[in-house]
Amino acid sequence: MNDDTGERAGEAWVGLGQRAGLLVRAGARAVADLVVPPVCLACRAPLCEHHALCATCWVETDFIRAPLCDRLGIPLPFDTGGVMVSAGASADAPDYDRARGVAAFNGTMQKLVHGFKYSDRHDARRLFGRWLVAAGETLIAESDVVIPIPLNRWRLLYRRFNQSAILAMEVSRRTGIDVAPLALVRTKQTPSQVGLSIEERRLNMAGAFMVPPGRQAEIAGRRVLLIDDVITTGATVNAAARALKSAGAAQVDVLALAIAGHGGP
């Protein structure tokens, strides 16, 4: 057998092995789908694939689309061209640089987030990851490190997981950007923000975060992508951004699944 014949035979075996591997994986997926059939992540209606929504729940997801305020990430009624800043951001500029969200906090997104946070429904994490990477494409391209909003220790013990950390890990996995889950910590146990006014939320979150001295090298001079599940009034992400910038962060952008109170234009 000459060298060319041997090489072709080797390539044929490699191709055969690859096809066999594909068949095995396809068979395994088919068996898995029989055991755990794919369903809509929101309403549990049968689907043809995992990690997806049915048509009805997709329509009921109020995705945030351009044109957007560059600072707050909220939709604007029309596009004036270039970088646009809303009246709200001009009157009360946030401490972070830019924010982006996947959807308004209503309809399907509210149902998914509540299931994720309060009912241990982590089956949507892959869908969340895809959505976050798409919504935050511009921010991700200019980020050096991904950091989640931390929970205080007692809430973490009660809930057993930090939903923002799960989202941050998913963004890191999909983009290759470093994640630093311990670079930002809560310094005090803040009461629940539910039902508080904007000013009460600000006071509640004042001094709530810090970068531990041993972690400042992970922050100094770097462009931070801060991950949260929902931006409500912005009090939490503003407080976190102040702490990160005090530790030397060059830039702090925010990426969240939802922005409360803001739907499409």
Side-chain angles (χ1 to χ4, degrees):
M1 180 183 296
N2 59 40
D3 291 343
D4 288 343
T5 302
E7 185 175 342
R8 287 196 296 272
E11 290 174 351
W13 276 108
V14 169
L16 183 62
Q18 290 174 338
R19 288 193 293 275
L22 289 173
L23 288 172
V24 169
R25 286 194 290 274
R29 283 195 298 271
V31 171
D33 287 349
L34 287 174
V35 176
V36 184
V39 295
C40 173
L41 292 168
C43 71
R44 317 307 287 174
L47 291 179
C48 295
E49 61 177 333
H50 291 281
H51 315 298
L53 298 179
C54 68
T56 300
C57 290
W58 182 272
V59 169
E60 292 175 356
T61 305
D62 194 0
F63 291 105
I64 297 173
R65 306 295 191 193
L68 302 174
C69 169
D70 190 60
R71 296 299 303 278
L72 301 179
I74 60 175
L76 297 176
F78 51 83
D79 191 342
T80 60
V83 175
M84 297 179 292
V85 178
S86 64
S90 297
D92 187 14
D95 294 292
Y96 54 81
D97 292 278
R98 298 172 294 178
R100 295 293 183 270
V102 173
F105 190 51
N106 57 31
T108 298
M109 180 59 86
Q110 186 174 38
K111 184 185 299 184
L112 289 171
V113 170
H114 280 174
F116 181 44
K117 290 177 67 170
Y118 306 122
S119 301
D120 288 355
R121 286 283 310 279
H122 297 178
D123 49 344
R125 62 183 295 171
R126 293 194 181 190
L127 178 63
F128 290 159
R130 291 201 304 270
W131 279 349
L132 286 168
V133 170
E137 181 180 11
T138 302
L139 309 187
I140 288 167
E142 300 175 11
S143 297
D144 301 313
V145 62
V146 177
I147 294 177
I149 290 287
L151 292 177
N152 70 63
R153 67 182 67 184
W154 301 114
R155 190 165 297 172
L156 181 60
L157 284 171
Y158 173 76
R159 193 175 290 170
R160 304 186 308 281
F161 65 92
N162 177 359
Q163 71 278 359
S164 296
I166 291 173
L167 297 174
M169 294 295 290
E170 192 66 24
V171 169
S172 175
R173 184 182 71 82
R174 289 176 176 273
T175 63
I177 302 174
D178 291 341
V179 60
L182 302 178
L184 185 68
V185 298
R186 293 250 183 180
T187 57
K188 65 179 185 179
Q189 183 176 350
T190 54
S192 171
Q193 300 272 77
V194 176
L196 299 183
S197 68
I198 292 176
E199 186 58 29
E200 287 170 336
R201 285 172 182 258
R202 288 176 176 170
L203 292 173
N204 191 36
M205 296 308 302
F209 301 100
M210 70 169 290
V211 175
R215 299 283 179 176
Q216 290 186 358
E218 299 177 59
I219 302 301
R222 305 185 80 186
R223 298 169 298 179
V224 174
L225 183 62
L226 189 62
I227 304 293
D228 203 1
D229 54 351
V230 182
I231 300 172
T232 307
T233 64
T236 299
V237 290
N238 271 318
R242 287 194 296 270
L244 290 164
K245 289 189 174 183
S246 294
Q251 177 175 297
V252 179
D253 292 327
V254 182
L255 181 58
L257 283 176
I259 298 179
H262 297 288

